[in-house]
Amino acid sequence: MARVGARQESRTILTSRRRNVQALVIDRDAPDGIRFVPDYPQPGPAPGEVLLRVRLAGICATDLQLVRGYMGFAGVPGHEFVGRVETGPPTLQGRRVVAEINCVPPGSPADTLDVRKHAPDRTVLGIQGRDGAFAEFVTVPAENCHVVPDGISDVQAVFVEPLAAACQVVRDCPQRGEDRVAVLGSGRLGILCAQVLALHGPHVDVLGRNPRTLDLCRRLALRAGHVDEVPPGATYDIVVECTGSPEGLRRALRLVRPRGTVVLKSTYAGAERLDLAPAVVNEVRIFGSRCGPFDEALDLLRRGRVQVEPLVTARYPLARGVEAFRAAASPEHIKVLLEPPAA
Ligand SMILES: [Zn+2]
């Protein structure tokens, strides 16, 4: 990928010295763990990076965990977003893009997703060592950017990152035709995972607690039920754990059949004591699954194979971001979006 020209870079750095921008910043001393900063320094792109003006961003469970101390992150959170390239190579200049979140230094040999997401020297957008997208501007390596086709709206594009994570479940754990699959958790990520899994096999159940999200699942033609109403002895070949709570793995181990597979998608702050003996006795395969292929997610959205707009329950200006975080944490809401001021 072409680098940003030296003259362009120095101009950006000068600009960044002058400009302050709106941002949300993790602050453990703030009552909500996060606060709105009206005059945050605008980021300047390093060599090989682009400067993006954020158009729309989404709050996810990881962000809610970050304000509770997950990863010990300090700075601007936000990793699900769509932006326009303000400063970048000619192939990207002015384009609407989404960006993969695992960032490696330019020239690094980490040239595939699987290598980038485990590179020891990586930073992760809005999660680890790098400011994220809950701001007017964000910088990312140019090679992380994917151009968003015109047929995909900004709202849809915000879902590319979590939808890619949902696609990764199928990559990590391919279903066989008749496999019975349970998605544990009917929240943001659970609904996306279930929609992707349902494209690959007919037996997908979403098991959750929130009547509102279970109802949405049914409107999206997914089979959904209350997790406490699963008949005793029901066992699944694959259980995808998307609850966002430590209880999820314990529950998953009760639902999976002997020699079945549990896929863990939740991350959360704090440690949990867990009896793993059932996993040994039942010879359960457990594996973690994180970021996934953006091109597949963009393709699913472009072809209308996955519905994401019905998940959006509120949209807040960035300046009301603290309120937006409160909404995102409440069971009344599913996906809450943040909108920075327009250019
Ligand atoms: Zn996320």
Side-chain angles (χ1 to χ4, degrees), residues 58-63 79-80 101 127 161-162 335:
I59 301 175
C60 88
T62 304
D63 301 311
H79 57 275
E80 302 179 3
I101 69 173
I127 296 174
E161 197 280 332
K335 195 66 170 183

Side-chain angles (χ1 to χ4, degrees), residues 117-317:
K117 68 182 176 183
H118 299 296
D121 58 349
R122 72 184 182 276
T123 55
V124 186
L125 193 65
I127 296 174
Q128 185 184 328
R130 170 181 284 267
D131 275 348
F134 295 161
E136 285 180 73
F137 293 93
V138 64
T139 60
V140 294
E143 64 183 6
N144 285 41
C145 294
H146 295 252
V147 172
V148 178
D150 288 342
I152 295 178
S153 69
D154 280 350
V155 171
Q156 288 176 301
V158 167
F159 286 87
V160 169
E161 197 280 332
L163 185 57
C167 293
Q168 183 66 19
V169 174
V170 179
R171 273 178 124 205
D172 285 336
C173 183
Q175 288 154 265
R176 286 162 305 175
E178 291 306 305
D179 275 349
R180 283 170 47 79
V181 181
V183 174
L184 207 48
S186 54
R188 293 163 275 254
L189 187 56
I191 295 173
L192 296 179
C193 285
Q195 289 193 70
V196 172
L197 289 158
L199 296 174
H200 294 263
H203 306 296
V204 178
D205 292 344
V206 184
L207 305 174
R209 294 182 184 285
N210 184 334
R212 190 178 293 250
T213 55
L214 289 172
D215 191 50
L216 172 60
C217 288
R218 292 185 199 105
R219 280 189 276 130
L220 294 170
L222 297 166
R223 212 166 40 214
H226 196 286
V227 67
D228 292 336
E229 287 164 12
V230 180
T235 50
Y236 289 91
D237 300 288
I238 300 169
V239 180
V240 183
E241 196 286 302
C242 301
T243 63
S245 86
E247 168 60 22
L249 174 56
R250 200 173 292 125
R251 172 80 66 162
L253 289 173
R254 285 206 297 270
L255 289 169
V256 72
R257 69 163 166 81
R259 296 188 71 84
T261 303
V262 172
V263 183
L264 300 179
K265 295 298 281 184
S266 299
T267 49
Y268 32 73
E272 172 76 356
R273 288 176 67 89
L274 184 72
D275 176 12
L276 285 171
V280 177
V281 172
N282 293 322
E283 299 189 319
V284 174
R285 288 198 310 151
I286 302 175
F287 62 84
S289 171
R290 193 167 61 100
C291 302
F294 271 43
D295 47 354
E296 279 179 37
L298 283 164
D299 192 53
L300 288 178
L301 291 171
R302 189 183 54 77
R303 292 190 292 133
R305 303 298 309 277
V306 169
Q307 301 298 311
V308 293
E309 287 101 333
L311 276 75
V312 177
T313 52
R315 198 165 160 148
Y316 287 83

